[in-house]
Amino acid sequence: MKKLAILGPKGTYSDQAASLLEEGYEKLYYPNILKTLSMVDRETLALVPFENTLDGFVMESMDYILKNKLRIVRQVKLDVDFYLVTYEKNLSDVNHLYVQFKAYGQCQDFILQHQLNPVITQSNIESLHLLKAESKRGFAAIVPSHVDTQEFSLVIKNILGNVRDETRFVLVQQQMEIMDAEEYHCSLVISPYSDEPGKLFSILKVFNDYQINLNSILSRPRKDKMGNYIFYLEFFISKGNIEVINEIKNRIEQQESCHLEVLGLYNKVE
């Protein structure tokens, strides 16, 4: 049985997302995203949060995948919701708030409205455990809506308001693997060999010429020299049109002085 590295501890949204995968894996839990991804080898895959409706891409995940040339082979999507929990009876008695770094962006309006001082954690379940330690007074935590909250004196639900929040998780491994599907979600990265005026414009024109509708375009630093960037792109493509990707790759590499690398052709989720 292959192993699956997950952002832990047990009970995180990453853990819930893993239950949506059809394959059976031996689950291994790690305290942060970078450690989780660093465990990928021939026998171990990793499932990590990759994009959130309210707070955008998870840069820790993206940058590690890009730098280490991991391949995306599957994705799952979860609806997420959060509660604020505390041992205090009134929110006015709360001074500090344990909150996972991505949940902080998702719940920022609520946090700012109530002037809570955030203490950033690596996972939502870590926030819960820190609050439970010695039943800390004057503290609260933002936790997933699926956890047991009966022991707390105050539980505030629906802190996101009437907004639907979703998180996309990606399954990554060392080697490329393409599942059979009628339509794919494609991720790729383009690395220009030199910085020139209009470089991004000329790259995007190639996709326009092939009538590819890009749904994500993001520049990320190469981290070798200030001002050097690579471009991450996503789009949907049908099974019968996959050969177009090779045509785009050849054109961009030959005419635009760039290197194009496909990070994954994987399932589309609604």
Side-chain angles (χ1 to χ4, degrees):
M1 178 181 292
K2 285 195 171 184
K3 300 175 181 178
L4 180 64
I6 305 170
L7 176 62
K10 290 183 178 180
T12 61
Y13 276 122
S14 294
D15 195 13
Q16 283 204 323
S19 67
L20 299 178
L21 298 173
E22 296 177 1
E23 301 86 346
Y25 296 99
E26 177 188 352
K27 292 182 180 181
L28 304 172
Y29 299 94
Y30 296 96
N32 56 65
I33 287 175
L34 296 184
K35 181 64 175 178
T36 302
L37 286 167
S38 73
M39 301 309 297
V40 174
D41 58 26
R42 291 183 178 180
E43 298 298 324
T44 306
L45 298 83
L47 183 73
V48 292
F50 195 67
E51 186 183 15
N52 175 262
T53 307
L54 301 182
D55 203 41
F57 283 102
V58 181
M59 294 309 174
E60 291 85 350
S61 297
M62 177 178 288
D63 287 345
Y64 191 98
I65 291 170
L66 295 179
K67 178 181 178 181
N68 294 277
K69 299 182 179 180
L70 300 180
R71 297 294 183 257
I72 302 173
V73 295
R74 197 74 46 85
Q75 65 176 341
V76 295
K77 187 185 290 185
L78 277 182
D79 286 332
V80 298
D81 194 12
F82 298 99
Y83 294 169
L84 180 142
V85 297
T86 179
Y87 292 105
E88 303 291 356
K89 293 183 178 180
N90 300 299
L91 188 57
S92 59
D93 295 324
V94 172
N95 299 312
H96 299 283
L97 176 72
Y98 291 117
V99 56
Q100 189 249 16
F101 67 96
K102 205 62 181 174
Y104 173 77
Q106 296 163 259
C107 304
Q108 194 172 54
D109 288 347
F110 179 90
I111 295 170
L112 293 176
Q113 176 186 351
H114 295 281
Q115 299 181 337
L116 301 172
N117 298 312
V119 179
I120 302 301
T121 67
Q122 291 298 312
S123 78
N124 295 304
I125 300 302
E126 180 188 359
S127 298
L128 177 64
H129 289 173
L130 286 171
L131 179 62
K132 285 185 174 183
E134 300 177 3
S135 301
K136 288 188 176 178
R137 314 303 301 190
F139 278 75
I142 287 179
V143 301
S145 59
H146 59 264
V147 303
D148 184 0
T149 61
Q150 294 184 40
E151 69 181 271
F152 297 102
S153 302
L154 178 64
V155 178
I156 300 178
K157 301 180 179 181
N158 195 33
I159 62 176
L160 294 177
N162 298 316
V163 177
R164 183 180 180 184
D165 192 13
E166 296 176 315
T167 296
R168 180 162 64 111
F169 298 81
V170 293
L171 180 68
V172 297
Q173 62 185 29
Q174 286 185 334
Q175 67 275 13
M176 187 76 169
E177 181 181 323
I178 304 175
M179 63 185 298
D180 187 31
E182 291 303 314
E183 189 170 15
Y184 294 98
H185 200 141
C186 180
S187 292
L188 55 82
V189 60
I190 297 175
S191 307
Y193 294 128
S194 61
D195 185 22
E196 303 171 12
K199 175 63 72 177
L200 179 58
F201 175 82
S202 60
I203 290 171
L204 297 181
K205 185 178 184 304
V206 176
F207 288 91
N208 181 69
D209 290 345
Y210 283 92
Q211 296 186 319
I212 297 293
N213 183 27
L214 298 173
N215 50 35
S216 292
I217 307 170
L218 197 69
S219 63
R220 300 300 299 149
R222 291 175 60 106
K223 299 186 179 180
D224 56 357
K225 182 181 178 182
M226 184 70 73
N228 284 358
Y229 291 87
I230 59 178
F231 304 110
Y232 173 82
L233 297 90
E234 289 185 356
F235 54 89
F236 301 129
I237 192 164
S238 66
K239 180 179 181 179
N241 208 29
I242 288 181
E243 69 277 1
V244 166
I245 297 175
N246 285 328
E247 295 179 23
I248 291 173
K249 175 179 172 64
N250 291 333
R251 181 169 163 185
I252 285 179
E253 292 189 338
Q254 294 173 13
Q255 299 180 14
E256 307 301 335
S257 298
C258 299
H259 175 66
L260 186 152
E261 194 157 8
V262 177
L263 298 179
L265 280 163
Y266 48 96
N267 61 304
K268 180 180 177 182
V269 292
E270 300 296 339

